[in-house]
Amino acid sequence: MNIGEAAKVSGVSAKMIRYYEQIKLITPAHRTASSYRTYGENDIHTLRFIRRARDLGFSIEQMKTLLALWRDRSRASADVKSIAREHIEELERKAAAIHAMTATLKHLVKHCHGDERPDCPIIDEFANMGNEAPSPAINTRFGLTGLKTEHGGR
């Protein structure tokens, strides 16, 4: 089947299939005499595997490792489980960071009058971050370093 058909049945876009070939996550497809890519059932199965791993948030490097383990019939399931556990910890860190961002924004919104006055604690918070050491909250890429709550705790 061609790349469009492979994309449709696997759930991975043609653009991503080409990208995965480029970065060597998947083996380049067989080419016809006219240079069209062709995909077989094994290729589709691999693309579906990648799609499911991607849907669960695994990185490209993690997917490379998982694909290698999937292909290695003598693998230890402990190796796969270890990768999954590490990923769970990463997802939990990100979820905590999102929770912290939400709590911070809720706190700021609660203290903003939202009227015609120019005073706004949301704007003030954003503007003051550049003038002082960062408050223990979150970094811009889901890194949680702490959160001060209204009650003074974390």
Side-chain angles (χ1 to χ4, degrees):
M1 71 181 70
N2 67 29
I3 195 167
E5 294 165 333
K8 185 176 181 178
V9 298
S10 69
V12 177
S13 71
K15 181 178 180 178
M16 290 306 296
I17 293 171
R18 287 197 240 10
Y19 174 69
Y20 292 151
E21 286 181 6
Q22 178 187 349
I23 65 169
K24 299 184 181 4
L25 182 63
I26 59 174
T27 307
H30 175 74
R31 298 272 186 155
T32 65
S34 55
S35 293
Y36 287 104
R37 292 174 170 89
T38 60
Y39 298 88
E41 285 304 312
N42 286 339
D43 300 316
I44 300 307
H45 200 58
T46 299
L47 289 169
R48 287 178 176 153
F49 181 100
I50 290 168
R51 174 61 194 245
R52 183 65 178 142
R54 189 181 73 191
D55 287 348
L56 292 172
F58 285 95
S59 70
I60 296 291
E61 286 305 312
Q62 290 168 321
M63 287 191 291
K64 282 182 182 180
T65 303
L66 289 168
L67 280 166
L69 288 167
W70 178 48
R71 292 178 180 129
D72 178 5
R73 303 310 277 163
S74 65
R75 71 182 170 264
S77 63
D79 295 338
V80 179
K81 186 174 184 174
S82 174
I83 293 167
R85 279 189 170 155
E86 288 174 15
H87 188 58
I88 289 168
E89 291 170 6
E90 180 183 338
L91 291 172
E92 287 173 342
R93 280 191 299 275
K94 288 180 180 183
I98 290 170
H99 178 74
M101 285 187 264
T102 302
T104 298
L105 285 170
K106 283 181 177 181
H107 173 79
L108 292 171
V109 166
K110 180 180 176 181
H111 291 88
C112 180
H113 294 286
D115 55 19
E116 301 301 318
R117 293 182 283 184
D119 297 331
C120 177
I122 300 167
I123 295 293
D124 292 345
E125 174 75 14
F126 296 168
N128 289 330
M129 284 301 293
N131 298 333
E132 55 191 55
S135 62
I138 50 176
N139 76 21
T140 58
R141 195 66 183 138
F142 300 118
L144 179 64
T145 58
L147 175 67
K148 290 182 181 175
T149 65
E150 290 181 56
H151 310 294
R154 286 189 176 195

